[in-house]
Amino acid sequence: YRALDRRRSSFVAGRSDVSDLDHLASMIAASELRSVIDRRFHLDDIVEAHRYAESGDKKGHVVVVIP
C-alpha cells in the first residue's frame, strides 16, 4: 500500500501472539516501524478531533492531549 505522500505503509490485522509482539518491539527498537501522528488536539477540541478523524482526510493518528 502506498500512502498519498508516496511513503510505503501497511497495517496488520488479526490475532497476535507473544512472538508477533516481540517482533514489533524489535522493529520499533531498530527504528524500522514508527507511528505517524497527523494532528494533535486539546481535550477542549474533542468534537473537532472526532470530526477530523472521521473525515477521511487524516494521514496518520489523531492525538487528543489531556492536560
Side-chain angles (χ1 to χ4, degrees):
Y1 173 73
R2 291 254 179 217
L4 294 176
D5 63 0
R6 303 277 188 235
R7 284 186 268 181
R8 187 171 173 203
S9 64
S10 63
F11 72 96
V12 177
R15 296 178 68 173
S16 299
D17 62 24
V18 173
S19 65
D20 294 333
L21 297 176
D22 287 341
H23 181 68
L24 288 173
S26 67
M27 289 177 71
I28 292 168
S31 297
E32 295 172 349
L33 180 69
R34 66 185 179 91
S35 179
V36 176
I37 297 174
D38 183 357
R39 283 198 186 169
R40 291 177 175 85
F41 292 88
H42 290 281
L43 184 57
D44 294 340
D45 300 321
I46 190 72
V47 173
E48 183 182 347
H50 195 271
R51 282 188 192 127
Y52 181 71
E54 290 191 337
S55 71
D57 294 331
K58 72 183 192 84
K59 309 288 188 287
H61 295 286
V62 175
V63 175
V64 176
V65 178
I66 301 173

